[in-house]
Coordinates of all heavy atoms in Angstrom, one line a residue:
M329 N -26.0 -63.0 -86.2 CA -25.1 -64.2 -85.9 C -23.7 -63.7 -85.3 O -23.1 -62.8 -86.0 CB -24.9 -65.1 -87.1 CG -24.0 -66.2 -86.9 SD -24.0 -67.3 -88.3 CE -22.4 -68.2 -88.0
I330 N -23.4 -64.2 -84.2 CA -22.2 -63.7 -83.6 C -21.1 -65.0 -83.7 O -21.5 -66.0 -83.3 CB -22.5 -63.3 -82.2 CG1 -23.3 -62.0 -82.1 CG2 -21.0 -63.0 -81.4 CD1 -23.8 -61.8 -80.6
I331 N -20.1 -64.7 -84.2 CA -18.9 -65.7 -84.3 C -17.9 -65.2 -83.2 O -17.4 -64.2 -83.3 CB -18.2 -65.8 -85.7 CG1 -19.4 -66.0 -86.6 CG2 -17.1 -66.8 -85.6 CD1 -18.9 -65.8 -88.1
F332 N -17.7 -66.2 -82.3 CA -16.6 -66.0 -81.3 C -15.8 -67.3 -81.0 O -16.3 -68.3 -81.4 CB -17.2 -65.4 -80.0 CG -18.3 -66.3 -79.3 CD1 -17.7 -67.3 -78.3 CD2 -19.5 -66.3 -79.5 CE1 -18.5 -68.0 -77.6 CE2 -20.5 -67.0 -78.9 CZ -19.9 -68.0 -78.0
G333 N -14.6 -67.0 -80.5 CA -13.8 -68.2 -80.1 C -12.7 -67.8 -79.5 O -12.6 -66.6 -78.8
T334 N -11.6 -68.6 -79.5 CA -10.4 -68.2 -78.8 C -9.1 -68.4 -79.9 O -9.3 -69.2 -80.7 CB -10.1 -69.1 -77.5 OG1 -10.1 -70.5 -77.9 CG2 -11.1 -68.9 -76.4
K335 N -8.1 -67.8 -79.5 CA -7.0 -67.9 -80.4 C -5.7 -67.9 -79.5 O -5.7 -67.1 -78.5 CB -6.8 -66.7 -81.3 CG -5.8 -66.8 -82.4 CD -6.0 -65.6 -83.4 CE -5.2 -65.7 -84.7 NZ -3.9 -66.5 -84.8
G336 N -4.7 -68.8 -79.7 CA -3.7 -68.9 -78.8 C -2.4 -68.1 -79.4 O -2.2 -68.3 -80.6
Y337 N -1.7 -67.6 -78.6 CA -0.4 -67.0 -78.9 C 0.7 -67.5 -78.1 O 0.6 -67.7 -76.9 CB -0.4 -65.5 -78.7 CG -1.4 -64.7 -79.7 CD1 -2.8 -64.7 -79.2 CD2 -1.2 -64.1 -80.8 CE1 -3.8 -64.0 -80.0 CE2 -2.0 -63.6 -81.7 CZ -3.4 -63.5 -81.2 OH -4.4 -62.9 -82.0
L338 N 1.9 -67.7 -78.7 CA 3.0 -68.1 -78.0 C 4.2 -67.2 -78.1 O 4.6 -66.8 -79.2 CB 3.5 -69.6 -78.5 CG 4.2 -70.4 -77.7 CD1 3.5 -70.9 -76.5 CD2 4.6 -71.7 -78.5
Y339 N 4.7 -66.7 -76.9 CA 5.8 -65.9 -76.9 C 7.2 -66.6 -76.2 O 6.9 -67.2 -75.3 CB 5.5 -64.7 -76.3 CG 4.2 -63.9 -76.7 CD1 3.1 -64.1 -76.0 CD2 4.4 -63.0 -77.7 CE1 1.9 -63.4 -76.6 CE2 3.3 -62.2 -78.1 CZ 2.0 -62.5 -77.5 OH 0.9 -61.8 -77.9
Q340 N 8.2 -66.4 -76.9 CA 9.4 -66.9 -76.3 C 10.0 -65.7 -75.5 O 10.3 -64.6 -76.1 CB 10.4 -67.4 -77.2 CG 11.5 -68.0 -76.5 CD 12.5 -68.8 -77.4 OE1 12.0 -69.8 -78.1 NE2 13.7 -68.4 -77.5
L341 N 10.1 -65.7 -74.3 CA 10.5 -64.5 -73.5 C 12.0 -64.5 -73.2 O 12.6 -63.5 -73.1 CB 9.9 -64.5 -72.1 CG 8.3 -64.5 -72.0 CD1 7.7 -64.8 -70.7 CD2 7.8 -63.2 -72.8
A342 N 12.6 -65.8 -73.0 CA 14.1 -65.8 -72.6 C 14.5 -67.2 -72.7 O 13.8 -68.1 -72.9 CB 14.2 -65.3 -71.2
I343 N 15.9 -67.2 -72.7 CA 16.5 -68.5 -72.7 C 17.5 -68.6 -71.5 O 18.3 -67.6 -71.4 CB 17.4 -68.7 -74.0 CG1 16.4 -68.8 -75.2 CG2 18.1 -70.0 -73.9 CD1 17.1 -68.8 -76.6
L344 N 17.3 -69.5 -70.7 CA 18.0 -69.6 -69.5 C 18.6 -70.9 -69.3 O 18.3 -71.9 -69.8 CB 17.1 -69.5 -68.2 CG 16.3 -68.2 -68.2 CD1 14.8 -68.6 -68.1 CD2 16.6 -67.4 -66.8
T345 N 19.8 -71.0 -68.5 CA 20.4 -72.2 -68.2 C 20.0 -72.6 -66.9 O 20.2 -71.8 -65.8 CB 22.0 -72.0 -68.2 OG1 22.4 -71.5 -69.5 CG2 22.7 -73.4 -68.0
L346 N 19.2 -73.7 -66.8 CA 18.7 -74.2 -65.6 C 18.9 -75.7 -65.5 O 19.2 -76.3 -66.4 CB 17.1 -74.0 -65.5 CG 16.7 -72.6 -65.7 CD1 15.2 -72.7 -65.8 CD2 16.9 -71.8 -64.4
V347 N 19.0 -76.1 -64.3 CA 19.1 -77.6 -63.9 C 17.8 -78.2 -64.2 O 16.8 -77.7 -63.5 CB 19.7 -77.9 -62.6 CG1 19.8 -79.4 -62.4 CG2 21.1 -77.3 -62.6
C348 N 17.5 -79.0 -65.1 CA 16.3 -79.6 -65.5 C 15.8 -80.6 -64.4 O 16.6 -81.4 -63.9 CB 16.4 -80.4 -66.8 SG 14.9 -81.1 -67.2
G349 N 14.6 -80.4 -63.9 CA 14.0 -81.3 -62.9 C 13.8 -82.7 -63.3 O 13.5 -83.7 -62.6
H350 N 13.7 -82.9 -64.6 CA 13.6 -84.3 -65.2 C 14.7 -85.0 -65.7 O 14.9 -86.1 -65.1 CB 12.5 -83.9 -66.6 CG 12.2 -85.3 -67.1 ND1 11.2 -86.0 -66.5 CD2 12.7 -85.9 -68.2 CE1 11.0 -87.2 -67.3 NE2 11.8 -87.1 -68.3
C351 N 15.6 -84.4 -66.4 CA 16.8 -85.1 -66.9 C 18.0 -84.7 -66.0 O 19.1 -85.5 -66.1 CB 17.1 -84.9 -68.3 SG 17.6 -83.3 -68.8
G352 N 17.9 -83.7 -65.2 CA 19.0 -83.4 -64.2 C 20.2 -82.7 -65.0 O 21.4 -82.4 -64.2
N353 N 20.0 -82.3 -66.2 CA 21.2 -81.5 -67.0 C 21.0 -80.1 -66.8 O 20.0 -79.6 -66.8 CB 21.0 -81.9 -68.3 CG 21.7 -83.3 -68.7 OD1 22.9 -83.6 -68.6 ND2 20.9 -84.2 -69.2
P354 N 22.2 -79.4 -66.6 CA 22.2 -77.9 -66.6 C 22.1 -77.5 -68.1 O 23.0 -77.1 -68.6 CB 23.4 -77.6 -66.0 CG 24.3 -78.7 -66.2 CD 23.6 -80.0 -66.4
A355 N 20.9 -77.5 -68.7 CA 20.6 -77.3 -70.1 C 19.9 -76.0 -70.2 O 19.4 -75.5 -69.3 CB 19.8 -78.4 -70.6
A356 N 20.0 -75.6 -71.4 CA 19.3 -74.2 -71.9 C 17.8 -74.6 -71.7 O 17.3 -75.6 -72.2 CB 19.7 -73.7 -73.1
H357 N 17.0 -73.6 -71.1 CA 15.6 -73.8 -71.1 C 15.0 -72.5 -71.9 O 15.5 -71.4 -71.6 CB 15.1 -73.8 -69.6 CG 15.3 -75.0 -69.0 ND1 16.5 -75.6 -68.8 CD2 14.5 -76.0 -68.4 CE1 16.5 -76.7 -68.1 NE2 15.2 -77.1 -67.9
T358 N 14.0 -72.7 -72.5 CA 13.3 -71.6 -73.0 C 12.1 -71.2 -72.1 O 11.4 -72.1 -71.5 CB 12.6 -71.9 -74.5 OG1 11.9 -73.0 -74.3 CG2 13.8 -72.1 -75.5
L359 N 11.9 -70.0 -71.9 CA 10.8 -69.4 -71.1 C 9.7 -68.9 -72.0 O 9.9 -68.1 -72.9 CB 11.3 -68.4 -70.2 CG 10.2 -67.7 -69.2 CD1 9.6 -68.7 -68.3 CD2 10.9 -66.5 -68.5
R360 N 8.6 -69.6 -71.9 CA 7.5 -69.2 -72.8 C 6.4 -68.6 -72.2 O 6.0 -69.1 -71.1 CB 7.0 -70.4 -73.7 CG 8.1 -70.7 -74.7 CD 7.6 -72.0 -75.3 NE 8.6 -72.6 -76.3 CZ 8.7 -73.8 -76.8 NH1 7.7 -74.6 -76.4 NH2 9.6 -74.1 -77.7
K361 N 5.6 -67.9 -72.8 CA 4.3 -67.3 -72.4 C 3.2 -67.7 -73.3 O 3.5 -67.5 -74.6 CB 4.4 -65.8 -72.3 CG 3.2 -65.1 -71.8 CD 3.6 -63.6 -71.8 CE 2.4 -62.7 -71.7 NZ 2.8 -61.3 -71.8
R362 N 2.2 -68.3 -72.9 CA 1.2 -68.7 -73.8 C -0.2 -67.9 -73.4 O -0.6 -68.0 -72.3 CB 0.9 -70.1 -73.6 CG -0.1 -70.8 -74.7 CD -0.1 -72.2 -74.6 NE 1.2 -72.9 -75.1 CZ 1.7 -74.0 -74.6 NH1 1.1 -74.6 -73.6 NH2 2.9 -74.5 -75.1
V363 N -0.6 -67.2 -74.3 CA -1.7 -66.2 -74.1 C -2.9 -66.7 -74.9 O -2.9 -67.0 -76.2 CB -1.4 -64.7 -74.5 CG1 -2.7 -64.0 -74.0 CG2 -0.2 -64.3 -73.6
T364 N -4.1 -66.9 -74.3 CA -5.2 -67.3 -75.0 C -6.2 -66.0 -75.0 O -6.5 -65.5 -74.0 CB -6.0 -68.4 -74.4 OG1 -5.0 -69.6 -74.3 CG2 -7.0 -68.9 -75.2
K365 N -6.5 -65.7 -76.3 CA -7.3 -64.6 -76.5 C -8.7 -64.9 -76.8 O -8.9 -65.7 -77.8 CB -6.7 -63.5 -77.3 CG -5.6 -62.7 -76.7 CD -5.0 -61.7 -77.6 CE -3.9 -60.9 -76.8 NZ -3.2 -59.9 -77.8
F366 N -9.7 -64.1 -76.4 CA -11.1 -64.2 -76.7 C -11.2 -63.5 -78.0 O -10.6 -62.3 -78.2 CB -12.0 -63.7 -75.7 CG -13.4 -63.6 -76.1 CD1 -14.3 -64.7 -75.9 CD2 -14.0 -62.5 -76.6 CE1 -15.5 -64.9 -76.2 CE2 -15.3 -62.5 -77.0 CZ -16.1 -63.6 -76.7
T367 N -11.8 -64.1 -79.1 CA -11.9 -63.4 -80.3 C -13.4 -63.3 -80.6 O -14.3 -64.2 -80.4 CB -11.3 -64.2 -81.5 OG1 -12.0 -65.5 -81.6 CG2 -9.8 -64.4 -81.3
L368 N -13.8 -62.2 -81.3 CA -15.1 -62.0 -81.9 C -15.0 -61.6 -83.2 O -14.3 -60.6 -83.5 CB -15.8 -60.9 -80.9 CG -17.3 -60.5 -81.1 CD1 -18.1 -61.8 -80.7 CD2 -17.6 -59.3 -80.4
F369 N -15.7 -62.3 -84.0 CA -15.5 -62.2 -85.4 C -14.0 -62.3 -86.0 O -13.6 -61.4 -86.8 CB -16.3 -61.0 -86.0 CG -17.7 -60.8 -85.8 CD1 -18.2 -60.2 -84.8 CD2 -18.6 -61.7 -86.6 CE1 -19.6 -60.1 -84.5 CE2 -19.9 -61.6 -86.3 CZ -20.4 -60.8 -85.3
F370 N -13.5 -63.2 -85.3 CA -12.0 -63.5 -85.6 C -11.1 -62.3 -85.2 O -9.9 -62.3 -85.6 CB -11.8 -63.8 -87.1 CG -12.7 -64.9 -87.5 CD1 -13.8 -64.6 -88.4 CD2 -12.5 -66.2 -87.1 CE1 -14.6 -65.7 -88.8 CE2 -13.4 -67.3 -87.4 CZ -14.5 -66.9 -88.4
V371 N -11.7 -61.4 -84.5 CA -10.8 -60.4 -84.0 C -10.4 -60.6 -82.5 O -11.3 -60.6 -81.8 CB -11.5 -58.9 -84.1 CG1 -10.5 -57.8 -83.6 CG2 -11.7 -58.7 -85.5
P372 N -9.2 -60.8 -82.2 CA -8.9 -60.9 -80.8 C -9.0 -59.7 -79.9 O -8.7 -58.5 -80.3 CB -7.2 -61.2 -80.8 CG -6.7 -60.7 -82.2 CD -8.0 -60.7 -83.1
L373 N -9.9 -59.8 -78.9 CA -10.3 -58.7 -78.1 C -9.4 -58.6 -76.9 O -8.9 -57.6 -76.6 CB -11.7 -58.8 -77.7 CG -12.7 -58.6 -78.9 CD1 -14.1 -58.8 -78.3 CD2 -12.5 -57.3 -79.5
F374 N -9.4 -59.6 -76.0 CA -8.8 -59.6 -74.7 C -8.2 -60.9 -74.3 O -8.8 -61.9 -74.7 CB -9.7 -58.9 -73.6 CG -11.0 -59.6 -73.5 CD1 -11.2 -60.8 -72.6 CD2 -12.1 -59.0 -74.2 CE1 -12.4 -61.4 -72.5 CE2 -13.4 -59.8 -74.1 CZ -13.4 -60.8 -73.2
P375 N -7.2 -61.0 -73.5 CA -6.7 -62.3 -73.1 C -7.5 -62.8 -72.0 O -8.0 -62.3 -71.1 CB -5.2 -61.9 -72.6 CG -5.4 -60.5 -72.3 CD -6.3 -59.8 -73.1
I376 N -7.8 -64.2 -72.1 CA -8.7 -64.8 -71.0 C -7.8 -65.7 -70.2 O -8.1 -66.1 -69.1 CB -9.8 -65.6 -71.7 CG1 -9.4 -66.5 -72.8 CG2 -10.9 -64.6 -72.2 CD1 -10.4 -67.4 -73.4
S377 N -6.6 -66.1 -70.7 CA -5.6 -66.8 -69.9 C -4.2 -66.6 -70.4 O -3.9 -66.4 -71.5 CB -6.1 -68.3 -69.9 OG -5.1 -69.1 -70.7
T378 N -3.4 -66.5 -69.3 CA -1.9 -66.3 -69.6 C -1.2 -67.3 -68.8 O -1.4 -67.5 -67.6 CB -1.5 -64.9 -69.1 OG1 -2.2 -64.0 -69.9 CG2 0.0 -64.6 -69.5
K379 N -0.4 -68.1 -69.4 CA 0.3 -69.3 -68.8 C 1.9 -69.2 -69.3 O 2.1 -68.8 -70.3 CB -0.3 -70.6 -69.1 CG -1.6 -70.9 -68.5 CD -2.2 -72.2 -68.9 CE -3.4 -72.3 -68.3 NZ -4.3 -73.4 -69.0
Y380 N 2.6 -69.5 -68.2 CA 3.9 -69.5 -68.4 C 4.6 -70.9 -68.2 O 4.2 -71.7 -67.4 CB 4.7 -68.6 -67.4 CG 4.3 -67.1 -67.5 CD1 3.2 -66.6 -66.8 CD2 5.1 -66.3 -68.3 CE1 2.9 -65.3 -66.9 CE2 4.8 -64.9 -68.4 CZ 3.6 -64.4 -67.7 OH 3.2 -63.2 -67.9
A381 N 5.6 -71.2 -69.0 CA 6.2 -72.5 -68.8 C 7.8 -72.4 -69.2 O 8.0 -71.6 -70.0 CB 5.5 -73.6 -69.6
T382 N 8.5 -73.3 -68.6 CA 9.9 -73.4 -69.2 C 9.9 -74.7 -69.9 O 9.3 -75.8 -69.5 CB 11.0 -73.4 -68.0 OG1 10.7 -74.5 -67.2 CG2 10.9 -72.1 -67.4
Q383 N 10.7 -74.8 -71.0 CA 11.0 -76.0 -71.6 C 12.5 -76.4 -71.8 O 13.3 -75.5 -72.1 CB 10.3 -76.2 -73.1 CG 10.3 -77.4 -73.6 CD 9.7 -77.5 -74.9 OE1 9.5 -76.6 -75.6 NE2 9.2 -78.7 -75.1
C384 N 12.9 -77.6 -71.2 CA 14.2 -78.0 -71.4 C 14.5 -78.4 -72.8 O 13.8 -79.2 -73.5 CB 14.4 -79.3 -70.5 SG 16.1 -80.1 -70.6
T385 N 15.6 -77.8 -73.3 CA 16.0 -78.1 -74.7 C 16.6 -79.4 -74.8 O 16.9 -79.8 -75.9 CB 16.9 -77.0 -75.3 OG1 18.0 -76.8 -74.4 CG2 16.2 -75.6 -75.3
F386 N 17.1 -79.9 -73.7 CA 17.8 -81.3 -73.7 C 16.8 -82.4 -73.9 O 16.9 -83.2 -74.7 CB 18.6 -81.4 -72.5 CG 19.5 -82.4 -72.5 CD1 20.9 -82.3 -73.1 CD2 19.4 -83.8 -72.0 CE1 21.8 -83.4 -73.2 CE2 20.3 -84.8 -72.1 CZ 21.4 -84.6 -72.8
C387 N 15.8 -82.5 -73.0 CA 14.7 -83.6 -73.0 C 13.5 -83.2 -73.5 O 12.6 -83.9 -73.6 CB 14.8 -84.3 -71.7 SG 14.0 -83.2 -70.3
G388 N 13.2 -81.9 -73.5 CA 11.9 -81.4 -74.0 C 10.8 -81.1 -72.9 O 9.7 -81.0 -73.3
T389 N 11.2 -81.6 -71.8 CA 10.2 -81.6 -70.6 C 9.7 -80.0 -70.4 O 10.5 -79.2 -70.4 CB 10.7 -82.1 -69.3 OG1 11.0 -83.4 -69.5 CG2 9.7 -81.9 -68.2
E390 N 8.4 -79.8 -70.4 CA 7.9 -78.5 -70.1 C 7.4 -78.5 -68.6 O 6.8 -79.4 -68.1 CB 6.6 -78.4 -71.1 CG 6.3 -77.0 -71.2 CD 5.2 -76.5 -72.2 OE1 4.2 -77.0 -71.8 OE2 5.6 -76.1 -73.3
Q391 N 7.8 -77.4 -68.0 CA 7.4 -77.2 -66.7 C 6.7 -76.0 -66.4 O 7.1 -74.9 -66.9 CB 8.6 -77.2 -65.7 CG 8.3 -77.5 -64.3 CD 9.5 -77.6 -63.3 OE1 10.5 -77.5 -63.8 NE2 9.4 -77.8 -62.1
K392 N 5.5 -76.0 -65.8 CA 4.8 -74.8 -65.5 C 5.3 -73.9 -64.5 O 5.7 -74.5 -63.5 CB 3.3 -75.1 -65.3 CG 2.5 -75.5 -66.6 CD 1.1 -76.1 -66.2 CE 0.4 -76.6 -67.5 NZ -0.6 -77.7 -67.1
V393 N 5.3 -72.7 -64.8 CA 5.8 -71.7 -63.7 C 4.7 -70.6 -63.6 O 3.9 -70.4 -64.5 CB 7.1 -71.1 -64.1 CG1 8.2 -72.1 -64.0 CG2 7.2 -70.4 -65.4
T394 N 4.6 -70.1 -62.4 CA 3.6 -68.9 -62.3 C 4.3 -67.7 -62.8 O 5.3 -67.6 -63.2 CB 3.5 -68.7 -60.7 OG1 4.8 -68.3 -60.2 CG2 3.1 -69.9 -59.9
G395 N 3.2 -66.7 -63.0 CA 3.8 -65.4 -63.7 C 4.9 -64.8 -62.9 O 5.7 -64.2 -63.5
E396 N 4.9 -64.9 -61.4 CA 5.9 -64.3 -60.5 C 7.3 -65.0 -60.9 O 8.3 -64.4 -61.0 CB 5.6 -64.6 -59.2 CG 4.8 -63.4 -58.5 CD 4.3 -63.7 -57.1 OE1 5.2 -64.3 -56.4 OE2 3.2 -63.4 -56.9
Q397 N 7.2 -66.3 -61.0 CA 8.5 -67.1 -61.2 C 9.0 -66.6 -62.6 O 10.2 -66.4 -62.7 CB 8.1 -68.6 -61.3 CG 8.0 -69.1 -59.9 CD 7.6 -70.5 -59.8 OE1 6.7 -71.1 -60.6 NE2 8.3 -71.4 -59.1
A398 N 8.1 -66.5 -63.7 CA 8.5 -66.2 -65.0 C 9.1 -64.8 -64.9 O 10.2 -64.5 -65.7 CB 7.3 -66.2 -65.9
E399 N 8.6 -63.8 -64.2 CA 9.2 -62.5 -64.2 C 10.6 -62.6 -63.5 O 11.6 -62.0 -64.0 CB 8.3 -61.7 -63.2 CG 8.0 -60.4 -63.8 CD 6.8 -59.6 -62.9 OE1 7.2 -59.1 -62.0 OE2 5.7 -59.8 -63.4
Q400 N 10.8 -63.4 -62.4 CA 12.1 -63.5 -61.8 C 13.0 -64.2 -62.8 O 14.2 -63.7 -62.9 CB 12.0 -64.4 -60.7 CG 11.4 -63.8 -59.4 CD 11.3 -64.8 -58.1 OE1 11.6 -65.9 -58.2 NE2 10.8 -64.2 -57.1
L401 N 12.6 -65.3 -63.5 CA 13.5 -65.9 -64.6 C 14.0 -64.9 -65.6 O 15.1 -64.9 -66.1 CB 12.8 -67.1 -65.1 CG 12.6 -68.3 -64.2 CD1 11.6 -69.3 -64.8 CD2 13.9 -69.0 -63.8
Q402 N 13.1 -64.1 -66.0 CA 13.3 -63.0 -67.0 C 14.3 -62.0 -66.6 O 15.3 -61.7 -67.2 CB 12.0 -62.4 -67.5 CG 11.6 -62.7 -68.8 CD 10.4 -61.7 -69.2 OE1 9.4 -61.9 -68.5 NE2 10.6 -61.1 -70.1
T403 N 14.1 -61.7 -65.2 CA 15.1 -60.7 -64.7 C 16.6 -61.4 -64.6 O 17.5 -60.8 -64.9 CB 14.8 -60.4 -63.3 OG1 13.4 -60.0 -63.2 CG2 15.5 -59.3 -62.7
Q404 N 16.6 -62.7 -64.2 CA 17.8 -63.5 -64.2 C 18.5 -63.5 -65.6 O 19.7 -63.4 -65.8 CB 17.6 -64.9 -63.8 CG 17.5 -65.1 -62.4 CD 17.3 -66.5 -61.9 OE1 17.8 -67.5 -62.8 NE2 16.7 -66.8 -60.9
A405 N 17.7 -63.7 -66.6 CA 18.1 -63.9 -68.0 C 18.7 -62.6 -68.4 O 19.8 -62.6 -69.1 CB 17.0 -64.3 -68.9
V406 N 18.0 -61.5 -68.1 CA 18.6 -60.2 -68.5 C 19.8 -59.9 -67.8 O 20.8 -59.4 -68.4 CB 17.7 -59.1 -68.3 CG1 18.1 -57.7 -68.5 CG2 16.3 -59.2 -69.1
A407 N 19.8 -60.2 -66.5 CA 21.2 -59.9 -65.8 C 22.2 -60.8 -66.1 O 23.5 -60.3 -66.2 CB 20.8 -60.1 -64.3
G408 N 22.0 -61.9 -66.4 CA 23.1 -62.9 -66.7 C 23.4 -63.0 -68.3 O 24.5 -63.5 -68.6
G409 N 22.7 -62.4 -69.1 CA 22.8 -62.5 -70.4 C 22.7 -63.8 -71.0 O 22.2 -64.9 -70.2
Y410 N 22.7 -64.1 -72.3 CA 22.3 -65.4 -73.0 C 23.4 -66.4 -72.7 O 24.5 -66.2 -73.3 CB 22.0 -65.2 -74.4 CG 20.7 -64.6 -74.5 CD1 20.5 -63.3 -74.8 CD2 19.4 -65.4 -74.4 CE1 19.3 -62.7 -74.9 CE2 18.2 -64.8 -74.6 CZ 18.2 -63.5 -74.9 OH 16.9 -62.9 -75.0
G411 N 23.3 -67.4 -71.8 CA 24.2 -68.3 -71.7 C 25.4 -68.0 -70.9 O 26.1 -68.9 -70.4
G412 N 25.7 -66.7 -70.7 CA 26.9 -66.4 -69.9 C 26.7 -66.2 -68.6 O 26.9 -65.3 -68.0
Q413 N 26.3 -67.1 -67.8 CA 25.9 -67.0 -66.4 C 26.9 -66.2 -65.5 O 27.5 -66.8 -64.7 CB 25.7 -68.5 -65.8 CG 24.6 -69.2 -66.3 CD 24.1 -70.1 -65.4 OE1 24.9 -70.9 -64.8 NE2 22.8 -70.2 -65.2
Q414 N 26.9 -64.9 -65.5 CA 27.6 -64.2 -64.6 C 26.7 -63.8 -63.4 O 25.7 -63.2 -63.7 CB 28.2 -63.0 -65.3 CG 29.3 -63.4 -66.3 CD 30.0 -62.0 -66.9 OE1 29.5 -61.0 -66.6 NE2 31.0 -62.3 -67.6
Q415 N 27.3 -63.9 -62.3 CA 26.4 -63.7 -61.1 C 27.2 -62.7 -60.1 O 28.4 -62.8 -60.0 CB 26.0 -64.9 -60.3 CG 25.0 -65.8 -61.1 CD 24.8 -67.1 -60.4 OE1 25.4 -67.5 -59.5 NE2 23.8 -67.7 -61.0
H416 N 26.4 -61.9 -59.5 CA 26.9 -60.9 -58.5 C 27.9 -59.9 -59.0 O 28.8 -59.6 -58.4 CB 27.5 -61.6 -57.3 CG 26.5 -62.7 -56.9 ND1 25.2 -62.4 -56.3 CD2 26.6 -64.0 -56.6 CE1 24.5 -63.5 -56.0 NE2 25.4 -64.5 -56.2
G417 N 27.9 -59.7 -60.3 CA 28.8 -58.8 -60.9 C 30.2 -59.3 -60.9 O 30.6 -60.4 -60.7
Q418 N 31.1 -58.3 -61.5 CA 32.5 -58.6 -61.6 C 33.3 -58.4 -60.1 O 32.8 -57.4 -59.5 CB 33.2 -57.6 -62.6 CG 32.6 -57.8 -64.0 CD 33.0 -59.1 -64.7 OE1 34.1 -59.5 -64.4 NE2 32.2 -59.6 -65.5
P419 N 34.2 -59.2 -60.0 CA 35.0 -59.0 -58.7 C 35.7 -57.6 -58.8 O 36.4 -57.4 -59.8 CB 35.8 -60.2 -58.5 CG 36.0 -60.7 -59.8 CD 34.6 -60.4 -60.6
Q420 N 35.7 -56.8 -58.0 CA 36.4 -55.6 -57.8 C 37.8 -55.7 -57.5 O 38.1 -56.3 -56.4 CB 35.7 -54.5 -57.0 CG 34.2 -54.4 -57.4 CD 34.0 -52.9 -57.8 OE1 34.6 -51.9 -57.1 NE2 33.2 -52.7 -58.7
Q421 N 38.6 -55.2 -58.2 CA 40.2 -55.3 -57.9 C 40.6 -54.0 -57.2 O 40.4 -52.8 -57.8 CB 40.9 -55.4 -59.2 CG 40.5 -56.7 -60.0 CD 41.8 -57.5 -60.3 OE1 42.8 -57.0 -60.3 NE2 41.5 -58.7 -60.4
P422 N 40.9 -54.0 -56.0 CA 41.2 -52.7 -55.3 C 42.6 -52.2 -55.8 O 43.6 -52.9 -56.1 CB 41.4 -53.2 -53.8 CG 41.7 -54.7 -53.9 CD 41.0 -55.2 -55.2
Y423 N 42.7 -50.9 -56.0 CA 43.8 -50.3 -56.3 C 44.6 -49.9 -55.1 O 44.3 -49.2 -54.3 CB 43.5 -48.9 -57.2 CG 42.9 -49.2 -58.4 CD1 41.6 -49.1 -58.8 CD2 43.9 -49.3 -59.5 CE1 41.2 -49.4 -60.1 CE2 43.5 -49.5 -60.8 CZ 42.0 -49.6 -61.1 OH 41.6 -49.7 -62.4
Q424 N 45.8 -50.5 -55.1 CA 46.8 -50.3 -54.0 C 48.1 -49.8 -54.6 O 48.5 -50.5 -55.6 CB 46.9 -51.5 -53.1 CG 45.7 -51.7 -52.3 CD 45.6 -52.9 -51.4 OE1 46.6 -53.6 -51.6 NE2 44.5 -53.1 -50.7
S425 N 48.6 -48.9 -54.1 CA 50.0 -48.6 -54.4 C 51.1 -48.6 -53.4 O 50.7 -48.6 -52.1 CB 49.9 -47.1 -55.0 OG 49.4 -46.2 -54.0
Ligands
ZN758 ZN1 15.6 -81.9 -69.2

């Protein structure tokens, strides 16, 4: 007898400040990855589906994103830090005497 099934895993990848497409607020969004794994005798073997979504913390709306978009958002999150939306680096002050 073979027992097989699936098991879902949820990972929180990043928190980003985005303008929500639903409520229109520039609210914090969580970027999540949902992986469904194939299990055999309750042992997860390999992922059969990977899905990404952002969820607005203000209204709770979940929006699906592609893997590529998720990667871009993660890069943004790392570059900008949590909540501190700094873009294009610091302005350089020229030294003049
Ligand atoms: Zn929202």
Side-chain angles (χ1 to χ4, degrees):
M329 179 177 164
I330 297 170
I331 301 166
F332 62 90
T334 58
K335 195 172 187 336
Y337 296 84
L338 196 63
Y339 303 92
Q340 185 171 302
L341 302 175
I343 296 170
L344 303 121
T345 305
L346 301 168
V347 176
C348 178
H350 184 75
C351 66
N353 283 296
H357 285 64
T358 52
L359 176 64
R360 286 179 184 163
K361 179 180 166 183
R362 191 170 289 146
V363 181
T364 307
K365 284 186 178 175
F366 177 82
T367 61
L368 189 63
F369 296 106
F370 308 108
V371 178
L373 290 182
F374 52 85
I376 50 174
S377 105
T378 305
K379 283 174 184 166
Y380 297 89
T382 58
Q383 188 176 27
C384 176
T385 55
F386 194 84
C387 68
T389 295
E390 201 176 71
Q391 196 176 359
K392 282 176 187 154
V393 293
T394 64
E396 273 176 37
Q397 284 175 311
E399 232 168 79
Q400 281 178 2
L401 290 169
Q402 252 186 300
T403 310
Q404 273 179 35
V406 172
Y410 287 96
Q413 287 211 316
Q414 286 186 356
Q415 288 172 355
H416 310 301
Q418 299 287 331
Q420 298 240 328
Q421 302 234 333
Y423 283 96
Q424 283 178 359
S425 56

